Amino acid sequence: MLEVKGLTCGYNKRFILKNINFKLKKHALLGIIGPNGSGKTTLLRAITKIIKPQKGKILFEGRDIWQMGFRELAQKMAFVPQAPLSYEVDMTVEEFVLLGRIPYHKVFQFLDTKYDKAVAKKAMALTHTLNIKARFIPELSGGERQLVYLARALAQEPKLLLLDEPTAHLDIAHQIKILDLIKNLNNSFKLTVIIVLHDLNLASQYCNELILLNNGYLYKMGTPQEILTAEIIEHVYQTKVIVKEKFISSRPYIFWDFHMEDLT
Ligand SMILES: Nc1ncnc2c1ncn2[C@@H]1O[C@H](COP(=O)(O)OP(=O)(O)OP(=O)(O)O)[C@@H](O)[C@H]1O
């Protein structure tokens, strides 16, 4: 579905990502991890056509994304940015979620169709934001705003959903709800997902594949078992950890700040 070929890009002629190559199959749930400043957000920005490759290409279903219009791209992929601020967005939650339908509007179509409204309602129901649909965006908490951005992305009915730290402002219950929802969308609705996560244990638990970025390079791509080894984490994050295998899922679980007696 997605192919990143020799991608080198950055800001103001400064290279941040260097020669990134990977392929992503349909229905994948890919996590992007790596230390602060390693280029995770920059990679999402390149895939969503916010920044242009200085070298290389990004192909979506075999086509260079820079050959596609924004409208067409917005019907194929949706992006939930990191910690959306949006104090300036003076509209209700429902109006904001309906913006996700604009890529489907015909020229000179100013009103939302019944279908648009039904899709927006479903997106709000899935993200538990229906009860706040009449509230104004600037009045929302950081966590509520993050859920509303996700609802807008789902209203785009994308094939590929990209999320930058979607759990950053959420309490533990909402973190699990959102990640369970994303997993469910991936499993049941066959949505392909790329998600930037800082929490290595959440990445281990929820993602089927991981890309580990280090200093702008793709350090390694593989399953959580292949990537989340003590040796790799210590090398890339420069932090001592212990990795155990979880009993039922056999996914790796990482301990830091540990005492040996905690682990026995
Ligand atoms: N708009 C920008 N203009 C110039 N430099 C930027 C911009 N955005 C990011 N950078 C720089 O690019 C590098 C990579 O940043 P990026 O946000 O992609 O990293 P990240 O891995 O997502 O980091 P974090 O985990 O801290 O969110 C950093 O050195 C950052 O300072």
Side-chain angles (χ1 to χ4, degrees), residues 44-55:
L44 291 194
R45 286 188 187 139
I47 296 171
T48 50
K49 212 178 155 180
I50 296 171
I51 58 172
K52 201 167 183 174
Q54 279 145 336
K55 280 186 211 152

Side-chain angles (χ1 to χ4, degrees), residues 1-8 45-74 76-77 160:
M1 166 181 258
L2 183 78
E3 187 172 1
V4 175
K5 282 174 98 174
L7 172 70
T8 294
R45 286 188 187 139
I47 296 171
T48 50
K49 212 178 155 180
I50 296 171
I51 58 172
K52 201 167 183 174
Q54 279 145 336
K55 280 186 211 152
K57 273 186 185 166
I58 295 161
L59 306 175
F60 186 88
E61 294 175 332
R63 286 176 58 208
D64 188 334
I65 59 165
W66 284 86
Q67 305 298 320
M68 296 183 196
F70 274 98
R71 209 177 156 81
E72 184 187 2
L73 204 64
K76 295 185 190 300
M77 54 170 87
L160 172 64

Side-chain angles (χ1 to χ4, degrees), residues 45-116:
R45 286 188 187 139
I47 296 171
T48 50
K49 212 178 155 180
I50 296 171
I51 58 172
K52 201 167 183 174
Q54 279 145 336
K55 280 186 211 152
K57 273 186 185 166
I58 295 161
L59 306 175
F60 186 88
E61 294 175 332
R63 286 176 58 208
D64 188 334
I65 59 165
W66 284 86
Q67 305 298 320
M68 296 183 196
F70 274 98
R71 209 177 156 81
E72 184 187 2
L73 204 64
Q75 294 181 10
K76 295 185 190 300
M77 54 170 87
F79 179 38
V80 180
Q82 190 178 31
L85 291 170
S86 316
Y87 292 112
E88 73 284 4
V89 181
D90 194 20
M91 54 177 78
T92 66
V93 167
E94 187 175 27
E95 287 163 349
F96 185 72
V97 173
L98 276 163
L99 292 180
R101 300 301 305 160
I102 287 179
Y104 295 92
H105 285 187
K106 298 190 180 74
V107 186
F108 299 124
Q109 178 190 333
F110 300 111
L111 295 176
D112 300 302
T113 63
K114 257 190 183 167
Y115 183 73
D116 291 330

Side-chain angles (χ1 to χ4, degrees), residues 127 147 150 187 251:
T127 51
L147 295 173
L150 177 57
N187 273 335
R251 303 246 177 171

Side-chain angles (χ1 to χ4, degrees), residues 11-12 14 16 34-43 45 82 164 196 198:
Y11 309 93
N12 311 321
R14 182 174 152 229
I16 301 294
N36 288 127
S38 56
K40 303 179 294 297
T41 298
T42 305
L43 180 56
R45 286 188 187 139
Q82 190 178 31
D164 196 353
V196 168
H198 263 296

Side-chain angles (χ1 to χ4, degrees), residues 93 97 123-134 144 147-148 151:
V93 167
V97 173
M124 287 187 284
L126 282 169
T127 51
H128 312 283
T129 52
L130 255 186
N131 58 333
I132 54 167
K133 70 175 188 174
E144 288 167 334
L147 295 173
V148 170

